[in-house]
Amino acid sequence: MPSPTIRPATDRDGAAIAAIYNHYIASTVVTFEELAVDATEMAARIAKVQAAHLPWLVAEEDGEVVGYAYAAPWHVRAAYRHSVEVSVYLDHQATGRGLGSLLYEALFPILKSKKIHVAIGGLTLPNPASEALHQKFGMQKVAHYHEVGRKFGQWLDVGYWQTKISEAE
């Protein structure tokens, strides 16, 4: 199998990204969204991230999108402008092959070049694979919120991991 290509997402990737994400909405608790999103909504989300001058990347194999990662503003207040929340999702049939690492290996240098100071990752807990991925990139657990979400009839915890990317000014 050829190496995956990592490239910036375009609005044409909306359907493929929505298909990946909708699996997690319908079948898991890793996202707290409960309703599927369509290609138009996903394209709008991509455009919003890119309008904030932040990266949204896709991993592509044999012309098919098999994963994505992006950085979104942490909060809207101006003082947070040097902090982002990072996310990565993989096609559920493409997990365990290092694609999440490849996406973050591409994403983090872009954030550094944009003088992003801190990257934050929010994870539904427990989630050993995602915890390991974030720790691999130097992220440390900084918060644990108990039973803050409810999906599929269960209360869910959320943890936050954080790392310094650069010395933003």
Side-chain angles (χ1 to χ4, degrees):
M1 178 177 295
S3 297
T5 301
I6 307 297
R7 62 168 176 78
T10 71
D11 58 352
R12 293 181 306 279
D13 295 315
I17 291 171
I20 290 168
Y21 189 51
N22 285 336
H23 163 78
Y24 292 95
I25 292 172
S27 305
T28 78
V29 295
V30 300
T31 176
F32 285 5
E33 286 201 61
E34 297 178 321
L35 300 175
V37 297
D38 64 17
T40 302
E41 169 62 22
M42 195 55 76
R45 291 180 187 191
I46 294 165
K48 185 175 179 179
V49 164
Q50 292 172 338
H53 305 287
L54 292 169
W56 189 309
L57 305 174
V58 296
E60 196 173 62
E61 290 180 336
D62 297 323
E64 300 292 323
V65 174
V66 293
Y68 64 93
Y70 65 93
W74 170 241
H75 284 297
V76 297
R77 304 281 190 278
Y80 292 118
R81 68 187 169 278
H82 299 291
S83 298
V84 296
E85 183 170 10
V86 295
S87 295
V88 61
Y89 285 89
L90 303 175
D91 181 296
H92 69 281
Q93 296 178 338
T95 62
R97 296 190 289 129
L99 292 172
S101 291
L102 288 175
L103 283 159
Y104 270 3
E105 285 169 1
L107 185 73
F108 279 52
I110 295 169
L111 297 176
K112 186 172 185 174
S113 75
K114 293 181 174 293
K115 298 193 183 330
I116 296 300
H117 183 61
V118 169
I120 300 161
L123 291 64
T124 305
L125 299 176
N127 189 337
S130 191
E131 291 175 46
L133 174 65
H134 287 83
Q135 289 166 1
K136 177 179 178 179
F137 286 86
M139 301 182 87
Q140 296 179 329
K141 187 176 182 183
V142 294
H144 188 133
Y145 297 103
H146 298 273
E147 298 183 356
V148 295
R150 188 165 176 83
K151 188 173 177 183
F152 301 141
Q154 60 183 318
W155 289 109
L156 301 164
D157 292 2
V158 172
Y160 283 92
W161 273 251
Q162 172 182 325
T163 192
K164 188 185 300 185
I165 299 291
S166 73
E167 293 298 331
E169 296 180 17

